[in-house]
C-alpha cells in the first residue's frame, strides 16, 4: 500500500512540473519602463458583456516598476497627481497612441 502511495505522489509531482513548464512558456514577458503609457484590462466588463465595448481602459502612466511584475500606475488626467495604485503587469499592455473612448457604465438598482 505504501509503495502505491509513493508512486502516485511521484507521478503527481512529475505531472505538475510538466504543466508548470508549459504554462511558463505561454506567458509573455513584458518589460515596462518609467513614464511609459499603458492600457489597463477592465476585468469588470465581463459582468456586462458588450460586443463593441473595449476591454482596455484609458492610457495610464507608469510611475514605478516593482518586483514580481507589479506596476504602480498613476492617471495623468487625475486632479490628484499623487494618487497611484499597484496592479499586476499581466493586466497591462503597451499604449501606442490614438484616441481612446472612455466607457462609463451606470447601474441603478431600484428597490421594490
Amino acid at each position: 500500500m505504501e509503495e502505491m502511495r509513493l508512486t502516485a505522489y511521484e507521478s503527481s509531482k512529475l505531472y505538475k512540473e510538466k504543466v508548470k513548464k508549459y504554462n511558463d512558456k505561454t506567458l509573455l514577458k513584458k518589460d515596462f519602463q518609467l513614464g511609459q503609457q499603458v492600457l489597463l484590462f477592465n476585468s469588470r466588463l465581463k459582468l456586462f458583456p458588450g460586443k463593441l465595448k473595449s476591454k482596455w481602459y484609458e492610457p495610464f502612466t507608469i510611475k514605478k516598476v516593482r518586483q514580481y511584475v507589479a506596476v504602480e500606475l498613476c492617471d495623468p488626467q487625475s486632479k490628484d497627481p499623487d494618487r497611484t495604485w499597484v496592479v499586476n503587469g499581466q493586466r497591462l499592455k503597451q499604449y501606442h497612441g490614438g484616441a481612446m473612448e472612455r466607457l462609463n457604465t451606470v447601474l441603478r438598482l431600484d428597490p421594490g
Side-chain angles (χ1 to χ4, degrees), residues 21-69:
K21 282 182 186 178
Y22 175 77
N23 286 335
D24 288 346
K25 282 194 309 188
T26 60
L27 286 177
L28 297 175
K29 180 71 174 162
K30 297 181 181 181
D31 294 320
F32 298 109
Q33 288 83 30
L34 297 178
Q36 181 181 7
Q37 289 201 321
V38 293
L39 298 174
L40 178 65
F41 182 73
N42 186 358
S43 59
R44 292 182 180 212
L45 193 60
K46 290 180 184 177
L47 299 175
F48 310 103
K51 289 184 180 180
L52 302 177
K53 293 180 182 176
S54 175
K55 292 180 175 77
W56 297 95
Y57 194 61
E58 74 177 66
F60 295 99
T61 304
I62 294 179
K63 188 168 186 179
K64 185 177 182 181
V65 179
R66 298 182 177 191
Q67 286 183 326
Y68 307 113
V69 198

Side-chain angles (χ1 to χ4, degrees), residues 59-105:
F60 295 99
T61 304
I62 294 179
K63 188 168 186 179
K64 185 177 182 181
V65 179
R66 298 182 177 191
Q67 286 183 326
Y68 307 113
V69 198
V71 178
E72 189 172 335
L73 299 178
C74 68
D75 188 358
Q77 299 167 349
S78 174
K79 295 176 183 173
D80 184 13
D82 294 330
R83 183 173 173 254
T84 62
W85 61 97
V86 179
V87 297
N88 188 332
Q90 293 294 322
R91 294 182 58 203
L92 301 175
K93 74 176 180 180
Q94 187 177 1
Y95 176 64
H96 297 289
M100 284 289 296
E101 183 178 321
R102 182 177 271 211
L103 174 66
N104 291 327
T105 304

